[in-house]
Amino acid sequence: DGTRQSFDRNKILNSMVRACDKRKVDLTDLDKITTEIEQSIQNSLDREVSTDKLGEMVMARLKPLDEVAYIRFASVYRRFQDVSSFIHEINNFLEEK
């Protein structure tokens, strides 16, 4: 909605934890991803990072870690409105494999 917030690594970590619910994903892996994203942001020249960019960074790192968690995160991040949106994302995922 255009509002600005300070970076909060816990929001990123918690969103990944929810996406990985009942999956065999180690919390240390999610913490490592969160640290990578945080360092990437700190190393960039941008003063502000959009939530779109953060979401894409999370998805890029979840994808190789756990396919189901990736789809779960994508469904919330991309706000799927119906089943066809969900199927479209899964088909895109499968084509990239």
Side-chain angles (χ1 to χ4, degrees):
D1 66 359
T3 59
R4 293 184 172 121
Q5 297 181 5
S6 297
F7 179 80
D8 185 351
R9 68 176 277 121
N10 289 325
K11 285 184 180 182
I12 293 172
L13 182 60
N14 291 335
S15 67
M16 289 190 295
V17 167
R18 281 192 303 272
C20 294
D21 186 40
K22 297 182 183 175
R23 303 293 301 162
K24 293 183 179 182
V25 176
D26 194 325
L27 184 59
T28 57
D29 290 333
L30 299 180
D31 189 57
K32 180 180 173 187
I33 289 171
T34 305
T35 299
E36 288 173 5
I37 291 171
E38 185 175 25
Q39 288 175 346
S40 177
I41 291 168
Q42 289 174 348
N43 292 336
S44 76
L45 298 176
D46 300 328
R47 288 190 59 210
E48 294 183 359
V49 177
S50 69
T51 55
D52 290 339
K53 185 173 181 176
L54 284 174
E56 293 297 329
M57 294 170 83
V58 170
M59 287 178 26
R61 287 164 175 83
L62 272 181
K63 195 174 197 177
L65 183 65
D66 187 277
E67 297 172 351
V68 172
Y70 165 80
I71 294 297
R72 286 177 179 171
F73 185 88
S75 71
V76 173
Y77 167 69
R78 294 203 171 131
R79 296 181 184 102
F80 294 162
Q81 299 299 316
D82 52 30
V83 174
S84 64
S85 299
F86 194 79
I87 291 170
H88 179 72
E89 183 66 30
I90 291 172
N91 286 335
N92 285 342
F93 174 80
L94 293 173
E95 287 174 7
E96 292 175 4
K97 267 186 104 176

